[in-house]
Amino acid sequence: MHKYRKRRFLPMNIFRDIQDLPSFKKAVITIGSFDGIHSGHKKILNRVRELADETNGESIVITFYPHPRNVLDPSTSIISVLTTIDEKLTLLREAGIQNVVIVPFTFEFSRQMPREYIEKFIIGSFNPAYVVIGYDHRFGLNRNGDITLLKEYQSNFKVIEIPVQDIEDIAISSTRIRNCVQEGEMQEAAEYLGYPYILTGKVVHGDKIGAQIGYPTANLQIGDKSKLIPKEGIYAVRIKVDDVLFDGMMYIGKRPTVSDQIHDNIEINLFEFNQNIYNKNICVYVQKLLRTDKKFDSIEEMKIQIQKDEHQAREVLAELKKNDEDPADVTIAILNYNGVELLESYLPMMHYSTSRYKADIVVIDNNSDDLSMDFVREWYPEIKVTELLKNYGYAEGYNKGLKDIDTEFVVFVNTDVQVTENWLDPILDAMKANKSIGAVQPVIKSLEDKNYFEYAGAAGGYIDALGYPFCRGRIFNTIEKDEKQYQEPVEIFWASGAAMVTRTKLFKDLEGFDGGFFAHQEEIDLCWRMKQAGFSIHCLPSSVVYHLGGSTLDYQNPRKDFLNFRNNLYLVTKNVNLTSLLWLIPIRLILDGIAGLKFLTDKKPKSTLAVIRAHMSFYIHLPLVIERRNKEYQCIRKVKIDAPNNNGKYYGSIVYKYFVEGRKKFSQLKF
């Protein structure tokens, strides 16, 4: 059931006059009635909000009042709505929408030709950058306009089409919710809505019969006559008065025991409550139908039954509180790009990552053009999908995809990682026990040969005096066999981005990954900044995952060589003190030059060119790197908990030890 947890969003702007709208910045709009703002609608609203965040634009929901069908076909019975306009605005605010435009729907408005609707209403009023809309959206005179016509205007805005399955889910959910409310199946309605059904209205005077029998009630007057009211009966409810929640019970019916009225009353008895709330607006969360209405032979008999109703209501509400869904402790974030086959293979096991902590799973998609997201939606509808407009790479893809995440921890997992059962439990236990731990990785072994460590992280990352990274279990291209030689938990210098857990707030306070890296070594940069702030980084061998490796970008690809050489120069420039850089960069130029020559002798001229290009790119972007260094230093100062932590740093040269002394294994090094 829904837990009443406030989300923090910027204030929402509400506009009721389309002739008096401001100039919106990079508007991301969606249009619809959004009756109920249920779980299906929230997928659309999340898409609008995320798209606005990604493009630094404004999210706008355009909705109509009154309901168009009540205007266009008044001869039929008025359509009952799941949410009044005020309830809808509250829910849209909670969904994080920045702007809502309420369009007064009139017969004249409906007579616009489809092109007039697009050119005067959509473009003229909003000048949107993006229009998020369903495939079946119809507009204009006789509803002749459709998404095909909208796409003819893509020189003005881009059309983001909501998947067919999501649209069909919305239609199905709305119908089911309506049926549930009419039948009093309030718990099932809440499952579809994502929150308990709401009734809002003003408390008005009644005839005080409830007070006379010891059960004073607040008589609720619903302002919107089209609001769908649950079936007659007694309900367990929670009531919000001045932002404070109270337990209670609610009666809906014609009071057959004491009157012969023909209209329904809505009366609420609040437990442990004695305030005067006449003329106040209150919000009632309808939890469960206890019984249907009935006529009693006497008021005394009715009073005895109400006492039983109260007892049952208290029991129901106490049980619901016990079962209230606690917010997740951790978000497992999986960045995807054209990885449908990897998702098919490795996504199922993500659900078994922890048995002691509540985990949400989100797939962040870097604008794939395969069937990745269709696969996730069809087979794993419970997993949240965040779709980005382009391939931002690992670093910025995660930054943008995690903007709205507010769990205590976040897990970065590659699509080509096979996790093991409960692998997160020892990591989260350690991080809960020690607040100075900034990030933790499991031991990462090869999926192709599970007897060996894997290149990307192995049993924990280290760094040498010249800024060259290496691992416990992997130095350069020499990967060790796992012979239980690294079984002890250990503090390291960096955790692998293939499988890493960090604190969400710390990640955001440090402004996440450096998007300039695109991919490769951005996790080392993040960990280094954490270490400068006094946090520690750990590897726990009690947690193990398996990595396929090279599935996104092959280890021998010259593009990977370019990113590794360039990003490593970024890395040291951002994190080593400026005095040391005066001698370190010239040495790196020489050593990288030698590496380029070795690539040439190994008949890898493209890799040699990648090294040259890496240095050219570094020198061109050096002013930006220095600017980021200075900006991030301010972030480090704000989160600093202790002196810089250099544990895991090797003060010798791993290049010399490996290539000159022939020390190929981590165990052969002396710290």
Side-chain angles (χ1 to χ4, degrees), residues 81 92 128 197 208 212 221 236 449 619 631:
V81 296
L92 288 171
Y197 191 67
K208 309 294 190 294
Q212 294 170 20
Q221 184 180 76
D449 189 340
Y619 300 129
K631 183 180 178 182

Side-chain angles (χ1 to χ4, degrees), residues 441-445 453-462 470-474 492 494-499 523 539 547 555:
Q441 74 157 74
V443 164
I444 302 174
K445 298 174 69 173
F453 295 106
E454 212 282 318
Y455 183 96
Y462 293 75
F470 59 99
C471 300
R472 195 170 61 150
R474 191 273 298 170
I492 57 180
W494 57 270
S496 170
E523 75 273 37
C539 176
H547 186 210
Y555 286 136

Side-chain angles (χ1 to χ4, degrees), residues 165-223:
Q165 186 61 51
D166 286 352
I167 295 299
E168 292 176 350
D169 287 348
I170 289 169
I172 292 170
S173 296
S174 296
T175 301
R176 286 178 177 168
I177 293 165
R178 201 173 298 278
N179 292 339
C180 288
V181 172
Q182 289 171 334
E183 295 301 318
E185 300 289 344
M186 307 314 298
Q187 290 174 294
E188 188 175 347
E191 291 297 323
Y192 289 113
L193 286 165
Y195 57 89
Y197 191 67
I198 299 170
L199 293 174
T200 57
K202 181 189 290 187
V203 177
V204 297
H205 288 276
D207 53 19
K208 309 294 190 294
I209 291 177
Q212 294 170 20
I213 60 174
Y215 286 93
T217 60
N219 287 260
L220 190 67
Q221 184 180 76
I222 306 290

Side-chain angles (χ1 to χ4, degrees), residues 515-565:
F517 280 63
F518 187 78
H520 299 300
Q521 300 193 36
E522 61 281 294
E523 75 273 37
I524 305 178
D525 173 63
L526 175 67
C527 290
W528 202 334
R529 283 182 274 139
M530 289 182 182
K531 306 249 329 162
Q532 288 188 68
F535 289 88
S536 60
I537 314 296
H538 293 257
C539 176
L540 294 184
S542 55
S543 175
V544 178
V545 301
Y546 298 92
H547 186 210
L548 183 61
S551 57
T552 303
L553 195 59
D554 186 80
Y555 286 136
Q556 305 304 316
N557 192 309
R559 171 69 174 166
K560 186 179 284 283
D561 294 327
F562 166 78
L563 290 170
N564 275 327
F565 278 88

